[in-house]
Amino acid sequence: EDQVTQSPEALRLQEGESSSLNCSYTVSGLRGLFWYRQDPGKGPEFLFTLYSAGEEKEKERLKATLTKKESFLHITAPKPEDSATYLCAVQAGGSTGANSKLTFGKGITLSVRP
Amino acid sequence: DAGVTQSPTHLIKTRGQQVTLRCSPKSGHDTVSWYQQALGQGPQFIFQYYEEEERQRGNFPDRFSGHQFPNYSSELNVNALLLGDSALYLCASSPIGAPIQHFGPGTRLTVT
């Protein structure tokens, strides 16, 4: 069974204080690892997809990296508007279809104080 | 270009009742997935529809059923509602063969 564990559960940062969010996973045949951002009461907003170990992607103050067992979301010099819940999900490859389900972690709630 | 839309936004039902939630996928997307997100948890996969058929199903009872229409829109039906069904129900769409799923704003269901 695919599993995703995110840590820490919550993170409070001062504006400008860089940090990293962790996502550990076990999956039979990784097709993709996804990071989403979710604001309270809203649907998840897609950030990144990583497909193979060693891959990195960047968007503004965010950088996602992937190894064979975990992914990190690095936040550089965060601003209060970066406050949200960050969700990690894995998708397994398989014969059931090209659009396999996403298995999510519980998310990390990030608060950035001005 | 409209994204994924869901209706209604909020819904309050009583235990034992039935509910229908609706989803319109993003333009050009033909695959629709439904997820349940309880408070403080990550989304959990319910099922996925493609070509008007259920293609994958998560660990949810038969009380949860769905449908996809020829225009790719979809419905989620839940019968015999329980208090534990209170959650944010999310719809996600993607083109077949593309891994990225785009989510709608969700429907907040409260069962009293």
Side-chain angles (χ1 to χ4, degrees):
Chain A
E1 184 180 332
D2 303 338
Q3 285 194 326
V4 177
T5 302
Q6 293 188 250
S7 61
E9 290 187 3
L11 184 62
R12 296 187 68 183
L13 299 175
Q14 197 70 35
E15 183 172 4
E17 180 188 2
S18 301
S19 188
S20 296
L21 283 56
N22 176 261
C23 170
S24 299
Y25 66 90
T26 55
V27 63
S28 51
L30 179 71
R31 183 165 186 251
L33 184 139
F34 302 80
W35 283 98
Y36 286 85
R37 169 188 170 133
Q38 187 173 29
D39 292 304
K42 303 286 182 64
E45 175 189 347
F46 171 75
L47 293 173
F48 303 108
T49 307
L50 301 167
Y51 295 104
S52 57
E55 189 175 0
E56 299 182 351
K57 288 192 177 172
E58 286 189 69
K59 180 181 179 180
E60 296 180 354
R61 295 177 293 282
L62 301 176
K63 179 181 175 180
T65 62
L66 180 66
T67 72
K68 288 187 178 180
K69 294 184 179 179
E70 55 191 353
S71 176
F72 291 94
L73 185 64
H74 306 278
I75 302 178
T76 302
K79 298 182 177 181
E81 53 261 43
D82 294 323
S83 298
T85 295
Y86 291 85
L87 295 164
C88 173
V90 296
Q91 185 179 64
S95 59
T96 54
N99 296 52
S100 297
K101 67 176 184 179
L102 295 176
T103 299
F104 283 87
K106 290 185 178 181
I108 298 170
T109 300
L110 174 66
S111 298
V112 182
R113 302 188 300 275
Chain B
D1 177 26
V4 179
T5 60
Q6 293 186 243
S7 63
T9 305
H10 296 91
L11 205 50
I12 300 175
K13 290 286 188 178
T14 304
R15 276 180 300 175
Q17 286 189 317
Q18 178 264 345
V19 68
T20 297
L21 310 181
R22 295 176 176 81
C23 170
S24 291
K26 192 173 179 179
S27 177
H29 290 188
D30 52 10
T31 302
V32 173
S33 300
W34 287 91
Y35 293 81
Q36 179 196 66
Q37 187 176 25
L39 204 59
Q41 303 294 314
Q44 282 203 305
F45 176 74
I46 303 175
F47 43 55
Q48 183 183 93
Y49 277 84
Y50 171 63
E51 291 186 326
E52 302 179 48
E53 289 187 12
E54 184 182 291
R55 299 290 178 164
Q56 272 191 295
R57 189 177 183 92
N59 189 24
F60 279 80
D62 293 344
R63 297 187 297 110
F64 290 77
S65 63
H67 189 77
Q68 186 179 34
F69 299 94
N71 66 353
Y72 309 124
S73 67
S74 178
E75 288 182 350
L76 164 65
N77 301 291
V78 187
N79 295 321
L81 284 167
L82 304 173
L83 295 179
D85 295 331
S86 296
L88 182 67
Y89 287 85
L90 295 163
C91 170
S93 74
S94 56
I96 191 70
I100 300 170
Q101 296 184 20
H102 297 265
F103 284 82
T107 294
R108 170 68 63 186
L109 172 65
T110 302
V111 182
T112 62

